[in-house]
Amino acid sequence: MLCRICSSATSLAFTHQVLAKYDCKYYFCDNCGGLQTEEPYWLDEAYASPIAAADTTMLWRNQYLARAMSVLLYFLFDHRGRFLDAAGGYGVFTRLMRDIGFDYYWTDKHSPNLTAQGFEADAGPGPPYTAVTAFEVMEHLTDPVGFVAELLETTGSDTIVFTTELFDGAPPAPGEWMYYAFATGQHITFYQRSTLELVGKRLGLAFHTSKTRWWQLGGMGLHIWTRAKINPLVWRLLASPRITGLLEGVPRRALETRMWTDADVFLQAGNEP
C-alpha cells in the first residue's frame, strides 16, 4: 500500500479492530514516518454522527484553544484581520473567537453550524484570510496533502494552525496510545514531526510546533505551517499553557467583543418589514 502522504511504499505495522467489528490493517511509512489505516471503507458508518460520542473533550478543547489562539493571533499576526476555522464542527470555536473580538468565520463540509450561524466562510468579503485554523482534522483525512493545498488555495492564507497528536519513532502499540480511537473509526492517518515537516516542505511552508502534550500540561500541542517569519521559540513560548494563562486577558481587554454586535445583525433583520 502506498503512503497517503508521500506515495512511498509502506509496511504492515499491526492489525486491530475499528468500530468493534472491522479488522483493519495499519501501515507505516519509513520514508516520512506516517502511519495510516488501509483504505477506510467504513467511514460512512463512522460519521453517522459528525461528532463522535467519545469526543468528551470537545467543549474543554474549544475553550482552551480559544484562549491559546487569542494570544498567538494577537501577538504574532494582524489581529484586525479575518480568520477562518476549517472543519469547524458545530461552530463553537468560531463563536468563542468572535466573542473575544476576532473577525472569525466557519466552514465544514460534514457538520451543521449550530453556534456560529451567519458567519460561514462565504459571509462578508472574500479571501484572503490572515490565518486558518484546523483543529483535530488531520487525523481524519484520506488525502492530507490535498486538503492542505486546497485550503491554502481557497482561503488565500499563508498560515494554517492545527492540532493533532504526534508519535515518535515506531508506531505505538495499539494498547498504548488512546489517539488511535479505534472505537470511533474516524482516525485514519497519524503523524510524526518529520511527516508534518515534509508536508510543509512540499507546499513551501515552514513547520513549527509547541510540543505540548495536553494530558500532561493541561494544554494541547499547537502546530503551524506558515510562510510568515515566526521565531519557533516565541511560538512555543506563547503556545505554552502557562503563558496562555498569563496573557489571555490582553486580547480580551484590547479587542471589542462581537457578541452584541453579532446579535444586533439578526435582531435588526427580524425587525425589517
Side-chain angles (χ1 to χ4, degrees):
M1 183 172 179
L2 295 182
C3 177
R4 289 196 274 263
I5 297 161
C6 69
S7 299
S8 298
T10 60
S11 57
L12 180 64
F14 59 84
T15 299
H16 200 279
Q17 277 198 342
V18 297
L19 293 175
K21 61 194 298 188
Y22 301 117
D23 290 330
C24 174
K25 295 180 174 63
Y26 286 73
Y27 293 90
F28 181 66
C29 178
D30 285 321
N31 182 55
C32 73
L35 178 71
Q36 65 190 43
T37 66
E38 61 183 276
E39 192 64 29
Y41 53 85
W42 58 86
L43 290 185
D44 285 346
E45 185 175 344
Y47 287 100
S49 172
I51 306 298
D55 189 7
T56 57
T57 66
M58 181 184 71
L59 291 180
W60 171 87
R61 182 173 68 242
N62 280 284
Q63 290 170 341
Y64 174 79
L65 288 170
R67 296 194 299 270
M69 287 306 303
S70 69
V71 172
L72 289 163
L73 295 181
Y74 184 83
F75 287 103
L76 294 180
F77 296 91
D78 180 4
H79 56 266
R80 298 162 297 184
R82 296 172 68 244
F83 303 91
L84 178 71
D85 192 30
Y90 293 152
V92 175
F93 178 77
T94 297
R95 184 65 261 165
L96 290 172
M97 293 301 286
R98 294 191 68 83
D99 290 352
I100 294 170
F102 291 91
D103 191 16
Y104 236 98
Y105 295 85
W106 169 99
T107 185
D108 196 313
K109 296 178 181 179
H110 306 290
S111 177
N113 178 9
L114 301 182
T115 60
Q117 295 179 38
F119 302 100
E120 291 79 13
D122 55 0
Y129 291 93
T130 302
V132 177
T133 46
F135 299 132
E136 297 304 286
V137 178
M138 297 300 298
E139 60 277 3
H140 295 258
L141 302 176
T142 56
D143 181 12
V145 178
F147 172 83
V148 176
E150 181 182 5
L151 206 53
L152 294 170
E153 181 179 355
T154 57
T155 65
S157 181
D158 285 337
T159 297
I160 299 175
V161 183
F162 63 105
T163 60
T164 192
E165 291 300 325
L166 306 182
F167 69 94
D168 297 318
E176 296 178 358
W177 199 33
M178 63 181 293
Y179 209 63
Y180 287 129
F182 298 119
T184 73
Q186 294 185 359
H187 288 193
I188 60 174
T189 307
F190 307 90
Y191 309 84
Q192 301 191 57
R193 177 176 183 140
S194 59
T195 322
L196 298 176
E197 287 174 338
L198 183 146
V199 173
K201 186 176 181 180
R202 288 184 59 177
L203 299 171
L205 304 167
F207 172 74
H208 308 300
T209 178
S210 69
K211 296 184 178 180
T212 301
R213 298 184 184 276
W214 65 266
W215 63 85
Q216 294 175 338
L217 301 177
M220 291 191 74
L222 280 163
H223 318 299
I224 183 172
W225 286 305
T226 186
R227 296 189 182 102
K229 294 188 180 300
I230 292 178
N231 186 317
L233 294 178
V234 174
W235 174 263
R236 289 201 294 272
L237 179 66
L238 290 177
S240 68
R242 181 173 296 179
I243 299 302
T244 291
L246 291 173
L247 296 180
E248 64 176 298
V250 175
R252 291 182 183 273
R253 290 190 296 268
L255 303 177
E256 184 176 352
T257 180
R258 296 171 184 268
M259 187 186 311
W260 310 118
T261 53
D262 286 354
D264 284 343
V265 171
F266 296 102
L267 293 173
Q268 292 172 8
N271 290 331
E272 292 178 358

